[in-house]
Amino acid sequence: MSAQPLPDVTAATTPLDGHRLLHCWHGAATALLAQRGRLDQENVFPVADGDTGTNMAATLTEAVAACTPLRHAGHLQNALAGAALAASRGNSGIILAQFLGGLAAGLRDAERVDARALAAAAGPAVASARGAVAAPVEGTVLTVMAAWAEALAAACTEAAPPDSLADLATALGGARQAAAAALARTPSQLAALADAGVVDAGADGFVCLLDGFAAALATSPDADGALADPDAPMLPESLHGDHDPARLPAPPTLRWCTEILLEDTRASPEQVRGLLADLGDSVIAAGRAPRLKVHLHTNQPHLAAARLRAHGRLGPQKVEDMRLQYAAHHGPAAPVGLVTDSACDLPAALRDRYQVHQVPLTIQWQEHEYIDGRTLTAADFYSQLGRSPEHPRTSQPPLTRFERLYGDLLSCHEELLSLHLSARMSGTFGAARLAAERAGRGRVHCLDTRRLSAALGLVVLGAAEALADGADARTAAELARDLAARTDIFVLVPSLEAMVRGGRISAGVGKLARWSGLKPLVSVNAEGAAAVSGAALSVDGLERGMLARLRRGKRRRETERWAVVHAAAPAAAARMTAKAADVLGSQPAWVMETAPILGAHVGLDSVGVAVTWRG
């Protein structure tokens, strides 16, 4: 519980102009950054995913960093609110952003902010935050915000002494005490908090924010420096020692914490909340048309995206795996965490067993943005691929996607091993390596496997098994390097159209292939580049060519493990599986549909076989 000492602010304060108001929000962000590890630790509601402090700190930190000082306080608050909405993360971050937006609406015409102006804006701001949540719950940050706003209004009534009307510090001090008292009562209002022996993390974060804001009243804006990185990793022990194991919170029942920025929309927040109400819980729609920030916990993020795209353009998104977050924080599979990307075709059951965390790539298609495999599933992708006149474009994950995951995992793992698709085919490995340098502080080991799809999956699975057996990061990385060198993949591509449209093969080569009727057999060479290793005039001919290469490999070395992937071609995959099993002398470790990010480049009906040969 946060019962922080009341800041010693005794000097009378003049109303705040925009410059000093930004300074106060800088102080609030600094306070959240200082307490984010503790807040993450006490995060049990609505799910125990250990990120409330980080989400609140990141939302406010990024908003403050995006603002330049303005003399007009109302204009400054409006700029801060807009930046916070764009930067907001998680349930707590989006509620905070909506609160800041509510303050901006109330302070719109205020050149300077005094106690009266802030009190008048506070009540509607809290109502705005509560209104953004589909099912508000007492004992959360909403309850504590309301107690603060009520106390602030009471300090500014006509009956109050004149001095308190002019003294913003005094008014804020009294309201902060009311908020702290409300925070202490949260366990009596919410059973999940009482069971875990903690107060509400979001409410605690709000009180921290109040402390930082008030403390800044007594200091000069000239002292403001750059804010710390909210995703910087914390030491593993900082998030593990205070909870009684007998009071461990239950794992999340809904898997995906989903956030989507809906742009160019005419829908109201109320419409959007109704649209998504049956898909999960913690449904929030913040902001106002034409731009809404949407949040929910769900098992079907792709359905949320599908419904929202009928009402606007899907912009940047974040979809995080709360079950894996919970497992990593409360029962890590190994001291070393394992990360890969969505170009790794490895079945979900194996990823869950070994706690393999995926950083998804991004797909842009028909004016919308999607997260590979999450807001656009393989089934939805392939059902549309053959009908759409526009070909999807793909891109590497943004750097922040890596930094956030690394920062979170390094709080519960000694080190991380991050294995990625070939750098010759994507900038994903480069982004991972840069994020490791910025956020990892020598604790993240990145490897360009020079492989992709099921070949990358075989490498990742081998490394996961080694880590589960106690291997350290460097030993597992050497094993992964060795496995990659011993793993081949061959992909039967019935048409070069997708590879031409996706820019993987030149238009001239594609035209020649169409003219000749040749169909390619594609492989990945030792340097990690795609190569045409054969061609035929028919799919049957391609199958014979693939089997011949498998026989050639089998004559040299025994089969260690193999897998089959396909792009919406289950019958062709089953046929190839049976034939390859006869050649390789064993059954595949898995057969699965390849990720959309890969299907975009090989096209419908492609089939791939990846084999790891014994050393």
Side-chain angles (χ1 to χ4, degrees):
M1 173 179 174
S2 153
Q4 306 296 326
L6 188 65
D8 183 16
V9 182
T10 56
T13 58
T14 58
L16 301 176
D17 63 7
H19 195 181
R20 286 191 60 84
L21 181 60
L22 181 59
H23 169 61
C24 288
W25 288 123
H26 185 285
T30 300
L32 281 172
L33 287 165
Q35 297 296 324
R36 72 180 179 98
R38 182 181 60 77
L39 296 170
D40 284 349
Q41 184 178 1
E42 67 186 11
N43 172 204
V44 298
F45 183 84
V47 292
D49 49 358
D51 62 2
T52 290
T54 296
N55 287 340
M56 293 184 76
T59 298
L60 190 54
T61 296
E62 293 178 29
V64 170
C67 289
T68 55
L70 300 171
R71 285 299 172 192
H72 192 288
H75 296 169
L76 182 282
Q77 184 63 34
N78 188 61
L80 182 87
L85 184 66
S88 59
R89 300 190 204 171
N91 195 65
S92 56
I94 296 178
I95 290 173
L96 175 58
Q98 186 73 1
F99 169 77
L100 295 173
L103 284 181
L107 299 174
R108 182 184 301 111
D109 299 324
E111 291 188 23
R112 293 174 179 266
V113 175
D114 58 14
R116 280 182 182 277
L118 187 60
V126 174
S128 176
R130 180 176 288 270
V133 181
V137 175
E138 294 306 325
T140 65
V141 64
L142 297 172
T143 305
V144 174
M145 283 179 171
W148 170 80
E150 290 168 6
L152 191 61
C156 296
T157 60
E158 291 299 330
D163 285 348
S164 67
L165 295 177
D167 191 346
L168 180 59
T170 299
L172 285 176
R176 188 269 181 201
Q177 290 178 337
L183 172 64
R185 294 191 295 269
T186 58
S188 67
Q189 297 172 292
L190 201 53
L193 304 178
D195 291 344
V198 296
V199 295
D200 181 69
D204 199 349
F206 184 70
V207 174
C208 290
L209 174 156
L210 296 178
D211 288 337
F213 189 101
L217 291 172
T219 61
S220 168
D222 296 335
D224 289 348
L227 291 165
D229 180 2
D231 293 307
M234 294 170 284
L235 294 177
E237 57 268 23
S238 68
L239 285 181
H240 285 291
D242 294 339
H243 285 313
D244 180 349
R247 307 178 89 173
L248 194 66
T253 55
L254 298 170
R255 180 155 204 159
W256 303 106
C257 179
T258 303
E259 297 172 18
I260 299 174
L261 191 64
L262 183 64
E263 302 186 284
D264 301 333
T265 183
R266 295 182 178 178
S268 68
E270 293 78 13
Q271 286 176 297
V272 169
R273 289 193 291 272
L275 191 69
L276 304 178
D278 65 327
L279 293 184
D281 62 24
S282 298
V283 180
I284 303 172
R288 60 181 182 272
R291 198 181 202 213
L292 298 177
K293 187 68 171 280
V294 181
H295 170 281
L296 75 158
H297 294 164
T298 180
N299 287 328
Q300 301 169 303
H302 63 290
L303 290 185
R307 293 182 187 182
L308 290 173
R309 73 179 175 227
H311 295 273
R313 178 169 56 85
L314 301 181
Q317 301 154 30
K318 178 177 76 69
V319 181
E320 294 182 342
D321 191 332
M322 296 186 293
R323 288 184 189 166
L324 273 187
Q325 286 178 331
Y326 177 94
H329 282 271
H330 298 291
V336 178
L338 185 57
V339 177
T340 187
D341 53 63
S342 62
C344 171
D345 283 328
L346 182 67
L350 289 173
R351 296 199 310 269
D352 288 349
R353 180 190 304 174
Y354 293 104
Q355 294 182 14
V356 178
H357 301 263
Q358 276 192 323
V359 178
L361 280 77
T362 299
I363 297 173
Q364 292 93 21
W365 198 14
Q366 300 167 346
E367 82 173 358
H368 302 292
E369 182 173 311
Y370 299 95
I371 295 180
D372 182 33
R374 299 188 181 179
T375 52
L376 184 62
T377 63
D380 290 343
F381 174 77
Y382 291 120
S383 69
Q384 298 177 50
L385 185 60
R387 303 195 307 264
S388 174
E390 181 182 336
H391 195 73
R393 294 178 291 113
T394 63
S395 61
Q396 67 197 50
L399 189 65
T400 53
R401 204 171 285 172
F402 280 104
E403 290 179 325
R404 291 173 188 173
L405 182 61
Y406 288 164
D408 180 57
L409 293 180
L410 285 171
S411 68
C412 48
H413 291 284
E414 296 172 3
E415 294 181 289
L416 301 179
L417 177 60
S418 205
L419 305 176
H420 296 288
L421 81 154
S422 174
R424 294 286 297 271
M425 299 183 188
S426 169
T428 299
F429 170 71
R433 185 168 57 182
L434 181 56
E437 292 171 355
R438 290 173 52 167
R441 300 182 183 178
R443 296 166 57 200
V444 181
H445 306 269
C446 293
L447 177 66
D448 172 10
T449 68
R450 303 183 182 182
R451 293 294 173 262
L452 81 168
S453 185
L456 177 54
L458 291 170
V459 173
V460 169
L461 179 57
E465 291 169 337
L467 292 172
D469 287 339
D472 61 24
R474 287 171 178 79
T475 301
E478 285 303 315
L479 172 64
R481 190 175 285 108
D482 174 62
L483 287 171
R486 293 190 278 115
T487 300
D488 291 326
I489 186 167
F490 302 100
V491 184
L492 180 158
V493 182
S495 169
L496 281 176
E497 188 64 26
M499 298 186 80
V500 172
R501 295 178 72 182
R504 290 302 189 260
I505 288 181
S506 71
V509 171
K511 184 176 180 180
L512 178 61
R514 284 193 295 271
W515 175 80
S516 65
L518 286 173
K519 304 176 187 302
L521 182 65
V522 178
S523 62
V524 177
N525 63 25
E527 287 71 41
V532 176
S533 60
L537 292 171
S538 66
V539 171
D540 286 344
L542 283 180
E543 289 182 357
R544 289 193 296 272
M546 182 184 288
L547 293 170
R549 282 158 180 78
L550 295 177
R551 288 191 192 95
R552 193 178 306 146
K554 185 71 164 57
R555 284 196 295 268
R556 294 196 301 265
R557 292 176 288 185
E558 289 299 314
T559 306
E560 183 171 311
R561 190 151 50 191
W562 62 288
V564 177
V565 291
H566 64 91
R575 185 172 62 249
M576 177 53 68
T577 298
K579 293 178 180 179
D582 288 340
V583 172
L584 298 173
S586 62
Q587 292 299 311
W590 65 82
V591 178
M592 67 182 290
E593 205 160 44
T594 194
I597 203 77
L598 299 171
H601 297 293
V602 296
L604 290 168
D605 300 324
S606 297
V607 177
V609 176
V611 185
T612 298
W613 308 102
R614 292 196 183 278

